[in-house]
Structures are given as structure tokens and as C-alpha cells.
Amino acid sequence: MCAGAPQFHFKFKVIGTRRGERTLIECSSYGNRPMSFIWRKQGVIIEPTSEPRYRLVNEELVDGDRTKLIIEKAERKDSALFTCTAINDYGEDSMNIQLTVQDIPDAPQNLEVHDISSRNVRLTWNKPFDGNSPILQYTVMWRQINDKINGETFLGDIAGGPITVPGSETTLTVRGLRPKTRYFFRVKCQNSLGESQFGAEVAATTLEEPPRHAPEEVRAITLSSRAINVTWKVAVEDTDDSIEGYYVGYKLYGSPETFTFKPVESIKGRTQYFIVSNLNRFTEYSIVVQAFNARGAGPPSEEVMTRTLEFGKFYA
């Protein structure tokens, strides 16, 4: 290189900025005048007339010149390698500047639901673009619609969460859900600059499970020498769509034999009943009741005992 050719004291540097901020990139070259500058972005010459956010300013120094590239409101696409080339009659020299624009992260993508059970689901998702700043945490939320409580339907969303996991994790098991319920899950993330938008929702329906509670207030009323009227109440916790019917079991009182069960379809209302017939006259029976659905039977009620009449029918 000739003695009066342009020369940069540093050939490479890295600078950072945030999206939306005014950003200055400058280079100082030493050499004989007149000196001109060419700016390139990823190898393509920058023309400020085609990019209104870019502005070039040249200044004279004592023993050289300085050029500035001013970016108004930096955008993600400004994350690039910029090259400043100084040229005079004696030669040229170049300097590279790596600009990194930081931003909030993108929304997590490809949310999926796995290992669905009656009360738990496992979620996974893909790590998104982090905005050139490490993801600190993910936040998971969910909702359900048309919630039923004590048999009554409440329109509108019932929200769940938030649950957070570290930015190094891309999976979470959500626990404590309700059986046979449709949920909508979504996830967002956060870095030092702020939070992303939520990614697309994913729906999943938890599995049904057998009734968890025994019927309450079981009564056995003798009707005749051959029949017993069994009544019971649905457990308060089960007064929803989790019950399809009941098994009414009976056997000789004190007998080691197993119960004989009769399936009974559930009827509307909390109080249920079933008439057990074709029994032996003047005989003591043990009675139990248990709820069931497609997943199986729940726990049996406590046994109650009654005796059929010796003759005829019971009259109040």
C-alpha cells in the first residue's frame, strides 16, 4: 500500500442497537485527500435515496476523513455486515462492522399436546427467533369454554395459568385439569427487551375418568315380599356429565358371595332410584350403589340393609 493511501486503524468491530432506536455507525480513515467513501450492506452498495432510513455524513479530520452511516429507527433487517471502503488517488482500504439489532422475540411455534390423561397434559414447542437476546422464560396459559359447575353451564372463557418455565426449556406438563374437558393452550416468551406475542392456540380434550365419589344417602325401602325400592343422591362433586349410570348391587345380608349388580340409567336430578324385584320373601339383603361411565365404575356406597316382607305389600 502506498504511503498516502487510505488506512483504517481497525478492520472489524461489532456494535449493537435496539429495534426502533437511532443508530450510528462511523469509520475514520487516514490518508491523503481527496477521499471518498462507499458503504455496503452484505456486499451490496447502499444508496440512501432508495432507503430513506439511511443517511450518510462525511467529515474532515486533521489527517484523514470520517464517514457516518446514520440509521433512523433500526429494524431487524438491519442486522447485517456493513463494509466501509475509503478511496483516494493512492488506493483504498475497507473496514467491516457487524451490526446486531435486538428486539423482542418471536412467538413460539409448533405448540403440540402430548401424553393426554384425565387431568394432565404435556406441551412442547419450538424455540423461536430470540430477537438477538437470550430467551429468559416461557409463559403458558390455557382456557376452557362453556364450563359446567354443579350441572349449570356458564358461558365464556375460564382462564388458567400462567405457568412459567426457564428459557432453556421447551416443554411443560400442565397438571390439575378437569376430566373430559376441552382446553385451549398457548405460549409466549420473554427476553430482556420484552415479551413476544402468544403463538397459535392448540386445543386438546382431557380423557374421561371413572366417577371419583360414592353415591350419597343410600336408602333401601321395602315395598313387598319380593321388591325393594333403592334411592340415593348423586355426590355433589359428581353432578355433571361424568356419570352415565349406576350399578345397584344386592346380596343376602352377611353372605360371602359377591353382589349381583343391576345397571341403572342416570336420570335428571340429584335423586335417583331403582326397584330391585324377584327377591326372596322375608329375607335380609345388603344393598350398595356405585356410579359408572365409559371409563369404569366409581367407589361403592356404604352398605345398607333391609328385609323383604313376609307376605303381601307394604302400605304406609
Side-chain angles (χ1 to χ4, degrees):
M1 178 180 291
C2 299
Q7 184 178 18
F8 291 102
H9 289 176
F10 301 96
K11 300 298 184 182
F12 181 77
K13 67 178 178 181
V14 177
I15 62 175
T17 189
R18 292 188 175 190
R19 180 173 178 264
E21 290 185 349
R22 187 175 185 269
T23 303
L24 171 65
I25 308 174
E26 62 180 13
C27 302
S28 297
S29 176
Y30 302 93
N32 288 6
R33 296 190 183 95
M35 189 181 301
S36 62
F37 294 93
I38 297 175
W39 282 90
R40 292 180 175 87
K41 176 183 177 182
Q42 297 294 110
V44 178
I45 295 177
I46 296 174
E47 297 288 350
T49 55
S50 61
E51 177 52 85
R53 293 183 303 109
Y54 289 3
R55 182 162 59 92
L56 299 177
V57 177
N58 297 332
E59 301 174 345
E60 290 187 359
L61 303 175
V62 174
D63 52 356
D65 286 351
R66 177 164 56 205
T67 181
K68 298 179 180 179
L69 172 61
I70 301 170
I71 305 175
E72 300 290 347
K73 294 185 178 180
E75 298 179 0
R76 280 190 181 185
K77 63 183 180 180
D78 295 322
S79 288
L81 181 67
F82 290 84
T83 303
C84 173
T85 301
I87 305 170
N88 66 11
D89 292 339
Y90 297 95
E92 64 180 60
D93 195 16
S94 295
M95 176 181 179
N96 291 320
I97 307 98
Q98 178 64 55
L99 175 63
T100 300
V101 179
Q102 293 183 318
D103 194 5
I104 62 173
D106 287 344
Q109 301 296 316
N110 300 323
L111 177 62
E112 296 181 352
V113 184
H114 307 272
D115 304 334
I116 300 174
S117 67
S118 60
R119 294 184 179 269
N120 306 323
V121 300
R122 183 171 64 88
L123 305 176
T124 63
W125 56 87
N126 290 349
K127 178 183 176 181
F129 172 63
D130 62 7
N132 292 315
S133 179
I135 294 176
L136 302 177
Q137 69 177 25
Y138 293 94
T139 300
V140 175
M141 297 191 71
W142 60 94
R143 64 186 178 93
Q144 63 184 96
I145 58 176
N146 295 337
D147 188 40
K148 286 195 173 183
I149 302 176
N150 293 337
E152 295 185 19
T153 299
F154 295 85
L155 299 178
D157 292 355
I158 307 298
I163 299 179
T164 60
V165 295
S168 58
E169 301 289 334
T170 55
T171 184
L172 169 69
T173 298
V174 180
R175 307 181 188 278
L177 302 176
R178 300 179 62 189
K180 199 180 178 182
T181 302
R182 188 164 182 80
Y183 288 94
F184 297 83
F185 299 93
R186 57 181 181 162
V187 59
K188 64 180 177 180
C189 57
Q190 179 180 345
N191 64 13
S192 61
L193 282 79
E195 291 185 331
S196 73
Q197 298 292 318
F198 278 103
E201 280 189 325
V202 174
T205 302
T206 52
L207 300 180
E208 189 176 21
E209 64 182 18
R212 303 179 67 195
H213 306 280
E216 300 174 351
E217 300 182 31
V218 177
R219 302 284 187 268
I221 301 173
T222 300
L223 296 180
S224 69
S225 60
R226 297 285 188 174
I228 297 170
N229 183 32
V230 181
T231 64
W232 64 93
K233 289 186 177 180
V234 183
V236 173
E237 298 87 345
D238 288 335
T239 54
D240 52 28
D241 292 336
S242 65
I243 296 176
E244 295 181 8
Y246 296 86
Y247 293 122
V248 176
Y250 61 96
K251 69 173 183 178
L252 297 178
Y253 179 71
S255 170
E257 299 296 323
T258 59
F259 282 92
T260 298
F261 285 97
K262 298 289 186 180
V264 181
E265 185 176 349
S266 178
I267 60 176
K268 186 175 181 180
R270 191 176 173 209
T271 301
Q272 311 282 310
Y273 73 93
F274 179 69
I275 296 176
V276 182
S277 57
N278 297 320
L279 301 176
N280 297 327
R281 69 177 64 244
F282 203 54
T283 303
E284 292 183 333
Y285 285 92
S286 293
I287 306 292
V288 295
V289 182
Q290 57 188 140
F292 71 85
N293 59 23
R295 296 286 292 181
S301 67
E302 294 185 1
E303 293 185 28
V304 297
M305 187 272 289
T306 190
R307 176 187 294 169
T308 55
L309 298 179
E310 185 174 5
F311 300 102
K313 299 180 180 180
F314 176 81
Y315 295 95

